[in-house]
Amino acid sequence: MIVSAAPPRLQPSPRRRASSWLRIRAIARRHWYVVRRSPHRLFDVTVWPIVDVLLYGSLGTFFAQAEGGTLGRSAFGYLMAGVLLWHVVYSGQISLATGFLEEAWSRNMLNLMVTPLREWEYVAGVVLLGLAKLAAGLLIVALMALGLFAFDITDLGWTLAPVAAVLLLTGWVIALFVIGLVLRFGAGAEAMAWGVLFVMLPLSGVFYPVDALPGALQPIARLLPTTHAFAASRSVLDGGGVPWGRLGSAALSTVGLAAVGLVWVVAMLRVFRKRGYVTRYS
């Protein structure tokens, strides 16, 4: 009896990797063309950051003048750092979610599904442009905070970088759940792209400790990874260094939610194809 050897595992060829990069770049370019032809789509990246800095910077200045001393300066720092870091979550989520919604609005879903484009390549292309928009939005926030309120976020160095990384991943995870809802329920679920963030904003303790919330909401708030990330940012602002234990638990819970989000999107995509929901967008 001749026993055949197991077939060797096929490795992605350089040509296949190059073609994947070309498709990723094509998706990023496609969305860049949309932004370039419709500059008003940059409203979320340009106008909202300016409004938030003016609003919360003015509130912080008022608190600092009213309270004085260390308490007033801490309140001002919490507000300004919270605005900057919240835009990491906001831009990460909105860029990915609206990138998908753009295909629905332009009725381009069927065209994408008949191409050799794979799901992860599409997500990578949208994320690539989203990172550029995120960098632009954060630069606007940082410059406005420095020019109008003399708040220099760079004084904290790189200590806030791990916090921002956790928050960016959280934004992408939220977007995955929103995309799954849109695949399953259609245009009626598009409002979730913005609504989820406004629910999470007060529960995440962006500008204050969770202990300031009503008692019934505190257990819910402590389940969110964003709550621990923003608490870690306040510890950094207070000069206590990065609380790696708390930030690590936030990162682990975010990774777990990301796994659940991927399973959710794959399941909803399977339902989307099986039931022919693509006809909603064609």
Side-chain angles (χ1 to χ4, degrees):
M1 181 177 63
I2 300 175
V3 179
S4 59
R9 182 178 296 178
L10 298 178
Q11 298 294 332
S13 65
R15 184 174 180 179
R16 177 172 294 182
R17 288 195 293 267
S19 62
S20 291
W21 166 243
L22 287 176
R23 288 192 286 268
I24 293 170
R25 192 173 63 177
I27 291 297
R29 182 177 294 182
R30 174 257 192 279
H31 287 279
W32 165 244
Y33 287 156
V34 171
V35 171
R36 195 175 68 176
R37 294 292 297 272
S38 305
H40 59 274
R41 294 177 186 269
L42 288 174
F43 187 91
D44 291 335
V45 180
T46 56
V47 178
W48 276 127
I50 294 174
V51 171
D52 284 345
V53 170
L54 287 174
L55 174 61
Y56 292 106
S58 299
L59 283 173
T61 301
F62 170 73
F63 291 150
Q65 292 173 348
E67 297 293 340
T70 304
L71 181 60
R73 290 193 298 272
S74 297
F76 178 77
Y78 291 167
L79 286 171
M80 297 308 296
V83 167
L84 179 70
L85 292 173
W86 178 250
H87 273 281
V88 175
V89 184
Y90 179 83
S91 297
Q93 192 271 342
I94 287 295
S95 296
L96 184 55
T98 56
F100 172 78
L101 290 176
E102 176 60 38
E103 311 298 348
W105 295 332
S106 60
R107 301 196 176 274
N108 194 41
M109 299 273 296
L110 183 58
N111 296 329
L112 290 176
M113 296 185 71
V114 298
T115 67
L117 180 72
R118 286 169 285 186
E119 288 84 356
W120 73 267
E121 292 170 345
Y122 176 81
V123 171
V126 175
V127 165
L128 184 62
L129 182 63
L131 288 175
K133 293 167 67 176
L134 171 62
L138 292 181
L139 180 62
I140 291 173
V141 171
L143 291 178
M144 291 287 293
L146 179 62
L148 297 179
F149 301 103
F151 179 80
D152 190 358
I153 193 66
T154 60
D155 288 343
L156 298 173
W158 292 99
T159 52
L160 285 181
V163 178
V166 171
L167 292 175
L168 179 60
L169 182 58
T170 303
W172 288 341
V173 170
I174 297 171
L176 289 178
F177 284 100
V178 172
I179 290 172
L181 289 173
V182 174
L183 286 171
R184 177 61 181 84
F185 299 105
E190 292 178 4
M192 298 297 293
W194 293 270
V196 171
L197 290 175
F198 286 105
V199 172
M200 291 188 64
L201 177 60
L203 293 177
S204 298
V206 178
F207 308 112
Y208 45 78
V210 173
D211 295 338
L213 287 171
L217 296 178
Q218 291 182 18
I220 301 174
R222 291 191 174 93
L223 294 176
L224 301 176
T226 48
T227 299
H228 303 285
F230 283 109
S233 71
R234 285 190 291 274
S235 176
V236 172
L237 288 171
D238 292 337
V242 180
W244 293 107
R246 192 162 194 175
L247 193 60
S249 64
L252 287 176
S253 59
T254 303
V255 171
L257 287 174
V260 175
L262 288 173
V263 172
W264 163 255
V265 169
V266 170
M268 292 303 99
L269 186 60
R270 187 179 297 115
V271 173
F272 182 81
R273 288 169 170 163
K274 183 178 180 180
R275 299 188 181 181
Y277 289 158
V278 69
T279 55
R280 296 169 173 170
Y281 307 106
S282 60

